[in-house]
Amino acid sequence: MSDGIGARVKRKEDKRFITGKGKYTDDIRMENQAYAAFVRSPHAHAKVTGIDASAAEAMDGVIAVLNGAQLTGDGIGNIITGWAITSKDGSPMNIGAWSALATEKVRYVGDAVAVVIAETQAQARLAAEAVDVDYEELAPSVSTAKTLQDNQPLVHDEIANNLCFDWEIGDEAKTDAALSGAAHITEIELTNNRLSPNAMEPRAAIAVFDSAEDHYTLYTTSQNPHVARLVLSAFYNVAPEHKLRVIAPDVGGGFGSKIYIYPEEITCLWASMKTGRSVKWTADRSEAFMTDAHGRDHVTKARMGFDDTGKIVGFKVDTIANIGAYASLFATATPTYLYGTLLSGQYDIPAIYGNVKAVYTNTVPVDAYRGAGRPEATYLIERIVEKAAREMGRDVADLRRTNFIRAFPYQTQVLLAYDSGDFDTVLDMAQKAADVAGFPARKAEAASRGKLRGLGYSCFIEACGLAPSAAAGSLGAGVGLWESAEVRVNPVGTIEILTGTHSHGQGHETTFCQLASDRFGIPVENVSIVHGDTDKVQFGMGTYGSRSGPVGMSAVMKALDKVEAKVKKIVAHSLEASEDDIVIEGGEAKVAGTDKKMAWHEIGLAAYMAHNLPEGMEPGLKETSFFDPVNFSFPSGTFICEVEVDPETGVTQIVQFVAADDFGTIINPMIVEGQVHGGVTQGIGQALLEGVVYDDEGQLLTGSYMDYTMPRADDVPSYVIGHGCTPSPNNPLGLKGCGEAGAIGAPPAVINAIVDAIGTENIEMPATPQRVWAAIQATQMPVAAE
Amino acid sequence: MDMNGEHRIAASRETVWTALNDEDVLRACIPGCEELNKTSETGFHAIVVQKIGPVKARFEGEVELTNIKAPESYTIQGEGKGGVAGFAKGGADVTLAEEAGETLLAYTVHATVGGKLAQLGSRLIDSTARKLAGKFFDNFQAHLNPEPAAETA
């Protein structure tokens, strides 16, 4: 059983990845393949007054130059958002029209206005330069904080004040009353910085139209090919679902940015039909910076009230969330049901009120990015709790313990009901691993070298395992969020597991196989995964929101239950025993208490030979299941970050990072640790290095790795990882999900550590050396004697 | 991008003014200028090749002179499109003052860039613009005084 649940099985997929044999979208070549290059707006906001493609059309290799008027004229629908949010006054959200190729107006730098299809990529790009677009420039609205103001230009002419919605959660009157009676109030204003997702593989698509069958095939870099097919069919009118196959082959990272169905895929499909050619597009890194949906970008003010024992009595939050120029697929869900619902954190807070205004600006759309809403909630809660502890002279860990939730299930004041957790134990584990007791000595030693040491905590909780379909539907979701699985046992006993989730770095090809290996005691090599192809897998909702384990694996478990039940019937019949006495282990089915048994491959063969099956049993050994969770799952954890700041240069070095998590049951600790490493590194990137900058004209200034800093190996320490375990009661394996925790929990731990080191709260992410140095200088300005 | 500067030119104000309005002089002195033709009394059509950081582009655009107070001052306003490299636009207020038979030329520039130029080159705009301005005035000085005095380091 060394390949089963809990085993550190090496990743099966890594052989092809590390030998350069992965097959990504751009590696695929079709017969008759042509290339697309998009003509993109250099302006953040402008009217398109004319497009002259005559010079481009005359160039070598150019097959066609197509524009938005032709696209909409052919009935291609506008791009949708998938979650309907209702404003607090009862009005529906305001959605601005988004055509895959802009028609009358461009609304961000990079908005596509036309596409060139040519014989080679170089010819397509050259010709795209020759397309002459006349723009009538308009003043842009760029600032998240200011775009709601009356004097700001309108991103969508019909949407007043650039307001998408004004949403609320919780009880305002109760919260106001609680705050007015509080013994202490802590206030905070903070910005959650805007991030570029930076998947290693840029987005790409190949669209293949078969005119004989009126059938389309789309190869694309998608986290959820079935959702892509559904949306392309139902809303963009590309083709009915049975005439459209979507294949997401190897995908090199997503982090949320490859959930969405972007203008380029839609345009390639349509252009394939228009030109009769297979049409390929691969983004370059500049296009990725300009057009991949960004993440975060909140401006928040909040107040938290405490009684005289340090117990939180109320929490009031006011957030402006920038969604960019258009409402992308999950853009409306992210700052609401993935943010406002998490405002209780790990704490028993009797009164909470959150108000979120989602706003349009002349910037690329902002959508879910690893963590999606939950990092924003965690950053806010964990910053304000530590600030409060310092203001009240309390130990930052003790103040948290004063407020921890200890009885489960726990109904928060913001819709969610937490199913399980043990916050004290995980905090203890983290403090021990971080040697918190020894910190004062380390701080003194650092001080002797002229360095400032600080310790910062983050006690986070997230809602993962998206999502119970009925609950999601009642909150406005446009789809169900269950998952499907199919387990096919072949006549020789090997197994294929078909899943509607999609692996783009998560290691599904290993962990999903471990489930079957664990169940039947067969080697993990004898199991493989089929995913990422709508013609092969019946349906699925893809991978995001740490759902592949809690939801996807649960569907696999249900299908395995059915296979196991059928196997027992077959074996009992063959061996003339009672099926209750059949035990499956070590690749054999045995009759308990006897030496009668069947090898696993004999069972598969028996099922398919069908020479001797129980009366009425259908031949074959293949079972399907759909799993719809009854609740979200709630991974939690405590991160403790220790930093050393050089006050002369402002450089922050992370000297220790402890990540103690509670992910419930763990299938493969090695893969989970890899997910934590990656997530924490992205969180450290947000805290110290990364930040998208647009200038006042809406020009993207961080358009390359010269100006957008990703974390590198020497920016992060060797992580210390620990796991607590309170299994989720809501799925068969007790899984909670681990993909996003690091990115959710890390930023406040890092910033709290810097605050602890430098002695001021006035520091924003990314805490670059320049900002840290300036913050230190500001504290050392001469002040009047106290 | 905002920039201002002063250059002392060893020539009379009238000479400088005339040269600043002469398309042949400008074509010869503007770094990277491929084409510059007068389209009206106060307008020019220009093609200039420039490299800013990693972005090299051919900018094609129109330049217009306004607020003309010969021979004291004018405002030069222009916009160039550089294809996928993006665009640059802006203006400069230029004044000429007489000083001991020479001319003191002062300018204040405000310019913006967009597209790839902003994404890849924004940090380099200021230094590039300063370098180009320096080169222009060197060329201009050389044009007016074919045998200039020895340069100081």
Side-chain angles (χ1 to χ4, degrees), chain B residues 84-143:
Chain B
V84 286
F87 63 86
K89 60 181 176 176
D93 294 318
V94 179
T95 60
L96 303 179
E98 289 185 300
E99 248 185 53
E102 297 187 335
T103 305
L104 192 65
L105 184 154
Y107 59 88
T108 60
V109 178
H110 176 73
T112 56
V113 294
K116 190 159 270 190
L117 208 50
Q119 287 148 36
L120 300 180
S122 56
R123 282 184 303 134
L124 306 165
I125 296 290
D126 286 13
S127 58
T128 306
R130 237 173 281 283
K131 203 176 88 191
L132 291 177
K135 211 167 169 195
F136 170 80
F137 287 110
D138 285 351
N139 293 345
F140 194 66
Q141 180 82 61
H143 187 83

Side-chain angles (χ1 to χ4, degrees), chain A residues 38 41-43 109-110 125 128-129 132-135 137 284 286 290 695 697 699-704 706-707, chain B residues 53-54 57-58 79 81-87 89 110 112-124:
Chain A
F38 287 84
S41 170
H43 304 289
V109 170
R125 288 183 176 187
E129 280 196 53
D132 193 10
V133 182
D134 279 328
Y135 296 102
E137 283 180 65
D284 62 23
S286 290
M290 259 196 302
D695 72 8
E697 300 296 315
Q699 291 295 333
L700 177 66
L701 299 185
T702 47
S704 80
M706 291 191 296
D707 296 290
Chain B
R58 227 162 151 261
E79 177 168 1
K81 282 197 210 174
V84 286
F87 63 86
K89 60 181 176 176
H110 176 73
T112 56
V113 294
K116 190 159 270 190
L117 208 50
Q119 287 148 36
L120 300 180
S122 56
R123 282 184 303 134
L124 306 165

